[in-house]
Structure formats: C-alpha cells, structure tokens
Amino acid sequence: MNEKELMEQGYKKYRGEEMDIYFSLALCEHAGICIRGDREVFNLRRKPWILPDLGPQEEVQRLIAQCPSKALKYRMKDSEEIFPQPHPEETRYQKEESGLKILACKGSLSVGFIEFHREGEDLLVITRTEVDPAYSGQFIGNGLVKQVVNVAEEENRKILPLCSFARKVITRIPAYRHLEHKLPD
C-alpha cells in the first residue's frame, strides 16, 4: 500500500519532520489507544489533533501498531513504505447479501456478527451483536457497531439499538450519539 492508495481510501495526512501519520475517521473504532497513549501527539482538543513530531518516534509507532481498526498508519520520510502493513489475520467485515447481517472475520474464521433490519424509510434497528469470547477485548464488537453506523450515515437513517451492547457503544461514543433513535417514554 502506498500514500496515493491511502489518500484514495479517505485517509488524511498529518505531516511531520521525520514521520507522516495518516488517519481514517471512517475506519476508527474510537478505542482511544492513541489519545490515552500519547496526549502530546494525539490531542482531540486542538487542531490539527495529530502532531507527529511531539513524541518519541518509537512510542508513536508502537501506539499506531496497537490501533485495532487500523485507522492510523505512518510513513517515515526516508521510506515509501506505509506501516503497519496489512496482515491476513486482521479483522475484516463483510456484509451478507441481504445487507442485514455483518460478519467480523479473522482470516477465514468468522469471529462475530451484528444483526439489524431496516424499519420504514429512516430507521435501522440493531437486534443482536455477538463476538466469540476468545476474541473479547479486541474491539471487534465496536467495529461491528461502526459498520452499522456507516450504513446509517450512508442511508441517512437513525439507529434504534435494541441490543444492549450496541446501545452502550452508541451512547458512549460522542460521534455516534446523533444517530441514536430513542423511543418515546
């Protein structure tokens, strides 16, 4: 993967003297590893929120490698190579033909899913999210919810999270809250 391909995929470039950092909001699962790891480099309270030169390179590279969604990548100025490189065991998401179920996969193994359906013209209803316990703590469930958020944004719909896990994720992440449809009391 090169810089041109990253930019075509919607990544934004944050320039530094020795390293450039790339970020994709569309992929971000809001795990917070970056901002908890180095608040000098990653700081949501300023613009730009990423300043590559403010932290030790090795530490910044380590944090970027830990990003579960791969929304963060970097390139050293003396190289054309983008890191981290894709790995066949990374989590990927695939929609079923009906568009009502999204699977999370590692390699060829399905490790979780989220089920939802369309209600009328303006609502997506999430009914179930499940992740194999062997993969807990890897933010796979968050990634599944993010995939439904993407569908809701593409189709200009609100989300009714009947599933308790999805409801917790949507209410916890400020960028998702505007999509939540609340039932009247």
Side-chain angles (χ1 to χ4, degrees):
M1 177 171 295
N2 60 37
E3 182 177 290
K4 183 180 179 209
E5 292 169 325
L6 275 182
M7 303 308 269
E8 288 171 355
Q9 291 178 19
Y11 280 81
K12 182 174 179 182
K13 180 178 183 177
Y14 295 87
R15 298 175 193 274
E17 291 292 319
E18 296 180 35
M19 170 174 48
D20 292 332
I21 296 177
Y22 303 86
F23 173 71
S24 170
L25 181 59
L27 292 177
C28 185
E29 295 173 8
H30 306 286
I33 290 170
C34 54
I35 57 175
R36 284 192 310 273
D38 190 329
R39 293 184 192 267
E40 293 296 316
V41 175
F42 304 98
N43 187 334
L44 294 174
R45 298 186 194 280
R46 69 162 185 252
K47 289 188 179 182
W49 77 280
I50 299 175
L51 295 174
D53 295 329
L54 293 184
Q57 285 180 7
E58 296 78 21
E59 177 64 16
V60 174
Q61 292 168 358
R62 186 185 64 77
L63 289 171
I64 291 172
Q66 290 178 339
C67 178
S69 64
K70 304 303 180 223
L72 287 167
K73 297 195 178 289
Y74 70 91
R75 180 182 67 83
M76 300 308 294
K77 293 289 185 153
D78 60 357
S79 171
E80 290 299 315
E81 200 164 2
I82 306 288
F83 293 98
Q85 293 289 324
H87 187 274
E89 288 301 307
E90 285 181 0
T91 305
R92 72 177 191 289
Y93 302 96
Q94 57 191 52
K95 295 179 184 172
E96 286 193 342
E97 290 280 325
S98 66
L100 303 178
K101 187 174 191 178
I102 298 173
L103 303 173
C105 301
K106 291 218 180 248
S108 61
L109 180 67
S110 177
V111 297
F113 65 89
I114 190 165
E115 293 177 338
F116 63 99
H117 65 269
R118 292 168 178 86
E119 189 76 35
E121 294 183 14
D122 60 351
L123 195 61
L124 290 179
V125 180
I126 300 175
T127 55
R128 186 172 169 198
T129 306
E130 220 172 277
V131 174
D132 183 324
Y135 296 91
S136 69
Q138 296 183 28
F139 299 98
I140 291 170
N142 288 30
L144 288 163
V145 173
K146 173 67 174 163
Q147 296 301 310
V148 177
V149 165
N150 292 344
V151 171
E153 288 175 335
E154 288 169 9
E155 297 180 6
N156 197 25
R157 293 175 181 259
K158 294 282 189 181
I159 298 173
L160 177 59
L162 297 180
C163 162
S164 61
F165 175 81
R167 184 172 42 255
K168 185 168 49 172
V169 171
I170 289 170
T171 57
R172 189 186 73 229
I173 297 176
Y176 298 172
R177 288 188 198 139
H178 73 284
L179 294 171
E180 183 179 15
H181 174 81
K182 297 188 183 219
L183 293 171
D185 293 330

